[in-house]
Amino acid sequence: MARDERDVLEAIERRRRRPPRKLLDERITLSHGAGGKSTHALVEALFLPELRNPLLEPLADSAIVESNGARLAFSTDSYVVKPLFFPGGDIGELAVNGTVNDLSVAGARPLCLSAGFIVEEGYSAADLRRIAASMARAAAAAGVAVATGDTKVVERGKADGVYVNTSGIGLLERELDLRPARVRPGDRVLVSGTIGDHGMAIMIARGELELEVELASDTAPLASLVETLLDATGGVRVMRDPTRGGVATVLAELALAAEVGIAIDERALPIRPEVNGACEILGIDPLYVANEGKLLAVVAPEEADAALAAVRSHPLGLDARLIGEVRDEPPGLVLLETAFGGSRVVDMLAGDPLPRIC
Amino acid sequence: MRFVDEFRSGEVAARLAEQIAALVEPGRRYKVMEVCGGHTHAIYKHGVEDLLPDEIELVHGPGCPVCVIPMGRQDDAIAMAERAEVIFTTFGDMLRVPSSNGSLLDAKARGADVRMVYSPLDALKLARQNPDREVVFFAIGFETTTPSTALTIQRARAEGLRNFFVFCNHVTIIPAIRAILDSPDLRLDGFIGPGHVSTVIGIRPYRFIARDYGRPVVVSGFEPLDVLQGVYMILRQLRDGRSEVENQYSRVVREQGNPLALRAIAETMELRTTFEWRGLGFISQSALKLRPQLAELDAELRYELPGVRVADPKACQCGEVLKGVIKPWECKVFGTACTPDHPIGTCMVSSEGACAAYYNYGRYAGRRRREAAPA
């Protein structure tokens, strides 16, 4: 490579590693809610400077709170999915599973949740009951209680049906260090099943695309899958729940945080043919499409087979695969080895191809 | 995935790569331009460069529909979108293109009713559903997308819809290729010709390239094996001393194109005397507008627009990238001031733009890593 091309690429990497110092946008756009680069910029350049404290600083899925010898994980998430009911689930189930999963991938056993509802004036009480019932079923399945809640109603047109916020507390019972810094070259990357199902199911359910595809969201609580994995092996370095921004964004974040390279094998990616086909038509890369019931784990190389076997033994992990490995080079970057025989960069999501997916 | 996976086979690619390498004459370097942004995207997404010998350089061409729209037209679009009575519709990529007053997404955040559509027919549906609003479709693209706009116009006419308007920015590929061939700062050995444009216009319009400029043209499909085979066919012509128009994409492209599509275009649109292209400047007879008998559907006549030429930001070198004169990374702002999340120029916006494809996919391609390694 010509000397100056290398300089340009190094300048880009330096810039990528540097947290954004100021928000370049004057107004908030849908991109800021997509979970990719713009969301990072918003959180790191606007919220973090205002709210900075040691609990928030790691900007992880859950904050870790220690008090009187107990270690708790604390997390929150809001749900604005459209449509509210979709194949494979609804906003209620999604709101429970999403927060349960944020706690689970922090290595915590979820204990209880709060539920906040923002309801649009005129919304059907019967549908609200369906959402509440679905939350109850999801909470029971995940072994958590909805322990407290809140309701607000806004004028017609000021919200779109129902928005739900859940917060959750989990107990960290295991002596585990799951910080990205523990990721080492040679580690393997495991994904618990097919990717992109949730995002594409929502897009199809909106009916705007007029694609006839049978596809259901994968929304599911990962608590027992995580238990199974952690019981089977002590080799888990880090776990993630690849929701908005997809597997690509989560891996890119990990590579940056751990200052390692990650190589993914395109041929090893588990993707349903329906998801692949719909993505192909829409020009969307399934690596960037949201999942709501998938676990992504980095495991020590000598424990990779045991981890894979454990995940596959669980009903939610039947399609699990090892999809790649951690390398020294290039630090901070994810590379995909294509089925075609070439390679390419996999960066964080830029822009917002699929709004209001969760 | 049937009809896709077989065109992405690594095994076939490896064999074809060997055949290409065998065609390379020692000491000779080859510059091959892929005209289409769709090709550029496929090349970087699948890592096609990694399979080519170092002697072959792929040069990215002007065929990215989003990239060639000049800033002034984007200003016009925003002026329309900000009218209270207008629902402004366009394809996803256009939402992020900067104007002198932010992008359409920024206009949306300021309150404009801007909606993304997948087809002009979706815009027509919005017009039917919102009879009290005026729906404008921002039509862009080469001959690939022009027929769908033409058919939508015909349908709007047939239904007697009075609240549907088209902001026509359709361009034609041949004048752009000619401008590149006439540009003194670029020496090319051959062209990977547009695949989907050719489904509409056929392969005859490229004959002047082979005949008058002595350059091989191979019309190629958009799967990585198509591109690789296109390169192979160009090198074969060069070895034989031929310059012809060949059709690699014969599973889709007919020699005479698609007469029905061409007729729909001819019935609804006519050539503009001249049109500004981003970076390439004004090119005569290179774009289309609605025919005078369809004036009541023409958004340019309906609304008062700034309609002024707006210079690109000084730092932006999209024009040179579009002509293949510089590589994306040679642009002064590439990857620093201009990134996919905060683009300055169009080439960094569209997934078919050379800068976005290189930044998102290509910047650590195996070939670049190989060259970076100590010998």
Side-chain angles (χ1 to χ4, degrees):
Chain A
M1 148 161 53
R3 179 68 223 156
D4 39 356
E5 183 175 14
R6 209 178 310 164
D7 291 345
V8 172
L9 295 177
E10 280 169 12
I12 291 173
E13 292 317 312
R14 278 197 302 277
R15 187 178 176 281
R16 278 181 77 240
R17 283 195 289 267
R18 204 173 56 218
R21 270 172 298 208
K22 75 177 216 274
L23 190 67
L24 296 170
D25 314 275
E26 284 172 23
R27 284 175 188 271
I28 303 306
T29 68
L30 288 172
S31 300
H32 293 109
K37 288 182 184 172
S38 303
T39 307
H40 270 259
L42 179 68
V43 170
E44 290 179 27
L46 191 148
F47 287 122
L48 187 59
E50 299 295 334
L51 297 167
R52 189 183 303 276
N53 65 69
L55 291 174
L56 180 65
E57 187 92 51
L59 295 179
D61 288 326
S62 295
I64 307 299
V65 187
E66 300 197 40
S67 180
N68 286 338
R71 292 174 72 230
L72 298 172
F74 181 39
S75 186
T76 188
D77 212 331
S78 298
Y79 299 85
V80 296
V81 65
K82 177 188 175 182
L84 296 168
F85 298 89
F86 46 83
D90 58 48
I91 191 170
E93 186 179 352
L94 198 63
V96 170
N97 291 339
T99 295
V100 162
N101 293 347
D102 282 342
L103 296 171
S104 297
V105 296
R109 181 166 61 83
L111 294 178
C112 58
L113 302 181
S114 71
F117 298 88
I118 296 169
V119 188
E120 185 186 10
E121 175 190 22
Y123 189 69
S124 149
D127 283 346
L128 197 55
R129 182 172 288 118
R130 276 172 71 196
I131 291 169
S134 160
M135 289 180 87
R137 278 194 303 275
V144 293
V146 177
T148 181
D150 177 56
T151 310
K152 296 284 187 298
V153 179
V154 297
E155 299 92 329
R156 187 187 291 271
K158 304 291 180 193
D160 193 356
V162 181
Y163 303 143
V164 182
N165 170 275
T166 53
S167 298
I169 294 176
L171 190 59
L172 288 153
E173 294 164 313
R174 298 171 193 264
E175 285 300 318
L176 275 177
D177 181 0
L178 293 173
R179 286 171 305 170
R182 292 188 60 247
V183 172
R184 295 273 173 277
D187 287 352
R188 308 287 295 276
V189 180
L190 182 154
V191 65
S192 68
T194 53
I195 63 173
D197 296 1
H198 176 77
M200 286 328 289
I202 298 293
M203 288 306 286
I204 304 291
R206 286 189 194 161
E208 292 161 4
L209 305 173
E210 295 178 26
L211 293 176
E212 290 183 19
V213 186
E214 299 257 330
L215 196 57
S217 165
D218 59 352
T219 178
L222 294 172
S224 76
L225 176 65
V226 167
E227 291 285 309
T228 306
L229 174 62
L230 295 180
D231 286 345
T233 169
V236 177
R237 310 279 203 212
V238 72
M239 293 185 287
R240 285 288 184 275
D241 161 27
T243 57
R244 288 175 311 171
V247 167
T249 302
V250 160
L251 287 174
E253 289 166 359
L254 272 180
L256 275 174
E259 295 173 35
V260 293
I262 298 178
I264 299 300
D265 179 0
E266 187 175 42
R267 283 166 302 191
L269 293 175
I271 306 175
R272 285 181 201 281
E274 308 89 294
V275 170
N276 230 345
C279 282
E280 192 68 34
I281 288 170
L282 298 174
I284 289 170
D285 187 337
L287 277 169
Y288 292 90
V289 181
N291 309 276
E292 290 291 342
K294 294 289 151 34
L295 174 69
L296 194 137
V298 177
V299 292
E302 65 278 8
E303 291 293 311
D305 290 335
L308 181 65
V311 171
R312 281 192 172 162
S313 74
H314 191 280
L316 287 177
L318 301 177
D319 298 319
R321 300 260 186 92
L322 294 168
I323 60 169
E325 68 175 22
V326 178
R327 297 185 178 165
D328 295 314
E329 291 287 325
L333 269 180
V334 182
L335 295 174
L336 180 81
E337 283 159 7
T338 70
F340 193 66
S343 79
R344 66 163 151 102
V345 169
V346 177
D347 210 336
M348 276 184 224
L349 176 72
D352 184 18
L354 309 168
R356 287 180 59 189
I357 223 75
C358 56
Chain B
M1 213 177 338
R2 281 179 66 204
F3 309 120
V4 172
D5 290 342
E6 52 267 56
F7 298 101
R8 295 179 186 174
S9 155
E11 291 75 40
V12 180
R15 285 202 298 277
L16 199 49
E18 279 174 27
Q19 292 173 12
I20 290 171
L23 282 174
V24 170
E25 291 170 32
R28 181 170 178 184
R29 296 194 68 84
Y30 301 82
K31 273 191 174 189
V32 174
M33 173 174 276
E34 84 275 4
V35 173
C36 256
H39 288 138
T40 310
H41 182 81
I43 286 163
Y44 283 124
K45 182 164 180 191
H46 298 280
V48 173
E49 275 184 323
D50 291 349
L51 285 97
L52 291 176
D54 294 344
E55 290 83 356
I56 300 176
E57 181 188 342
L58 295 175
V59 180
H60 319 310
C64 161
V66 172
C67 303
V68 300
I69 301 294
M71 192 100 139
R73 301 294 280 186
Q74 196 69 14
D75 281 16
D76 291 348
I78 294 207
M80 272 182 252
E82 295 198 317
R83 297 178 73 95
E85 71 274 25
V86 166
I87 299 176
F88 195 81
T89 63
T90 191
F91 301 130
D93 276 351
M94 287 311 286
L95 299 181
R96 299 173 49 231
V97 173
S99 76
S100 35
N101 184 21
S103 67
L104 280 162
L105 270 185
D106 295 318
K108 185 170 188 274
R110 290 194 297 264
D113 192 348
V114 178
R115 305 193 198 179
M116 181 180 88
V117 291
Y118 288 95
S119 145
L121 289 170
D122 294 342
L124 199 64
K125 196 194 279 177
L126 279 172
R128 274 187 226 114
Q129 290 164 348
N130 297 277
D132 53 331
R133 304 282 301 279
E134 300 185 359
V135 174
V136 178
F137 176 63
F138 187 2
I140 62 143
F142 291 89
E143 288 90 337
T144 320
T145 52
T146 315
S148 61
T149 305
L151 290 169
T152 306
I153 289 169
Q154 289 181 330
R155 193 178 287 185
R157 200 44 168 338
E159 292 180 21
L161 279 175
R162 304 196 68 83
N163 66 330
F164 178 74
F165 306 93
V166 173
F167 180 38
C168 186
N169 291 273
H170 285 297
V171 286
T172 59
I173 192 72
I174 297 293
I177 297 179
R178 194 183 287 277
I180 280 169
L181 281 163
D182 288 336
S183 120
D185 36 6
L186 190 65
R187 302 296 305 161
L188 294 169
D189 295 288
F191 290 89
I192 296 177
H196 291 152
V197 163
S198 307
T199 62
V200 176
I201 68 172
I203 65 169
R204 291 180 198 140
Y206 308 111
R207 282 184 186 158
F208 77 97
I209 304 173
R211 188 187 58 223
D212 303 343
Y213 293 85
R215 299 285 183 269
V217 180
V218 177
V219 169
S220 305
F222 292 90
E223 292 303 328
L225 269 183
D226 291 324
V227 177
L228 209 55
Q229 195 180 14
V231 172
Y232 169 74
M233 290 167 74
I234 288 169
L235 258 73
R236 207 171 48 181
Q237 286 198 38
L238 291 170
R239 180 202 59 192
D240 301 345
R242 290 180 289 134
S243 66
E244 297 166 12
V245 181
E246 291 182 303
N247 183 6
Q248 182 277 337
Y249 204 24
S250 57
R251 66 184 187 276
V252 176
V253 172
R254 303 278 165 274
E255 188 172 347
Q256 74 283 7
N258 181 336
L260 280 176
L262 288 170
R263 197 197 310 149
I265 297 173
E267 284 168 359
T268 51
M269 298 176 206
E270 61 184 26
L271 279 173
R272 294 174 191 264
T273 30
T274 188
F275 190 75
E276 190 198 357
W277 293 54
R278 185 176 287 240
L280 302 174
F282 285 90
I283 305 180
S284 70
Q285 304 205 314
S286 65
L288 299 162
K289 61 177 179 182
L290 299 200
R291 285 193 171 277
Q293 61 267 33
L294 293 162
E296 79 269 15
L297 287 159
D298 193 337
E300 279 177 84
L301 302 173
R302 170 92 186 167
Y303 306 104
E304 190 91 24
L305 299 175
V308 292
R309 194 180 174 276
V310 182
D312 285 340
K314 269 215 174 61
C316 178
Q317 293 181 284
C318 276
E320 285 146 285
V321 172
L322 279 168
K323 285 188 285 191
V325 175
I326 63 168
K327 294 270 173 198
W329 58 265
E330 289 176 294
C331 171
K332 291 188 290 290
V333 290
F334 176 83
T336 47
C338 183
T339 59
D341 38 329
H342 286 96
I344 290 177
T346 44
C347 298
M348 193 58 103
V349 175
S350 170
S351 61
E352 298 193 351
C355 294
Y358 179 97
Y359 185 97
N360 286 329
Y361 292 144
R363 60 186 200 270
Y364 273 83
R367 182 162 166 168
R368 266 174 279 284
R369 292 205 305 283
R370 224 169 36 236
E371 287 166 21

